[in-house]
Amino acid sequence: MTQDELKQLVAAEAAAYVNAHVPEGSVIGVGTGTTANCFIDAIASVKSRYRGAVSSSVASSARLQAHGFKVLELNEIESLPVYVDGADEIDPHGAMIKGGGGALTREKIVASVADVFLCIADESKRVGVLGTFPLPVEVIPMARTAIGRRIAALGAVPVLRVQQDGLPFVTDNGNEIIDVKGLKIADPLALEVELNAWPGVVTVGLFAARGANLCLLGTSSGVETITYAR
Ligand code: 5RP
């Protein structure tokens, strides 16, 4: 199977999981990226089962609305039974690197409210140790260079994310992203806590404090369901 087919496979499984476990009339949390897009497409046929969705990006909100989903603000809701999203890497403990699509801040906020974080990914995302995928860090633009120096002092390489026209990539929140190369993240929670404390860091794309509860991983031999102790 191709990577795209694996994404569609796990997205369909995730839709079946949500339909089976989430009470009718609930609001569901929806992530960002190509795998999350497959999930949006897969769950659209039963949208009337849900009150609506809270989304982690402008792009996902637009896709949900195009399918006729009601998109709610996080401030409008009291609880979220599930948040479904992809990952750039996931380790054996359910800690993830996220933010390859630039939506890490809203992803972390929505995930923090959800009872269950359901990660959907193809098997290329499974790693023993996080860090081969450059770690996205959303920063306030005026802090970009200062934060870059601190990253270099850790022995890693800060790379400002740019768009095709060469200008800095700007997040939905009006900030910039530094992609950190050259990390081998033995203790994801410790690094998340450390980087979170740096002035100017908005969000670090490490999801260790709030990792996945469950992962549906698309492999060549089918969908593997992995649960994590939390
Ligand atoms: C976006 C994300 C995505 O979940 C992550 O980049 C995986 O994306 P894809 O499903 O396209 O491989 O964190 O900010």
Side-chain angles (χ1 to χ4, degrees), residues 7 32-36 85-88 98-104 107 125:
K7 288 178 182 185
T32 299
T34 53
T35 320
D85 199 359
D88 297 303
K98 290 186 48 54
L104 59 162
E107 289 172 345
K125 310 295 183 65

Side-chain angles (χ1 to χ4, degrees), residues 105-190:
T105 295
R106 295 188 188 194
E107 289 172 345
K108 201 174 263 198
I109 293 169
V110 181
S112 75
V113 175
D115 297 333
V116 171
F117 189 135
L118 170 55
C119 176
I120 49 175
D122 65 85
E123 63 189 336
S124 70
K125 310 295 183 65
R126 173 157 57 186
V127 298
V129 177
L130 299 173
T132 301
F133 189 93
L135 175 66
V137 180
E138 181 165 346
V139 300
I140 300 288
M142 71 170 286
R144 173 206 314 136
T145 307
I147 290 169
R149 276 194 294 269
R150 294 182 80 146
I151 290 167
L154 292 180
V157 180
V159 179
L160 180 67
R161 191 179 296 186
V162 291
Q163 307 169 151
Q164 275 188 339
D165 60 8
L167 292 171
F169 172 89
V170 178
T171 69
D172 286 350
N173 315 305
N175 299 314
E176 294 174 357
I177 290 185
I178 297 176
D179 291 305
V180 183
K181 296 188 174 176
L183 291 170
K184 275 277 161 274
I185 307 173
D187 188 341
L189 182 58

Side-chain angles (χ1 to χ4, degrees), residues 19-32:
N19 290 332
H21 292 87
V22 173
E24 212 164 333
S26 300
V27 178
I28 56 172
V30 176
T32 299

Side-chain angles (χ1 to χ4, degrees), residues 137 146-152 154 193-202:
V137 180
I147 290 169
R149 276 194 294 269
R150 294 182 80 146
I151 290 167
L154 292 180
V193 170
E194 180 181 354
L195 300 192
N196 272 338
W198 292 357
V201 168
V202 176

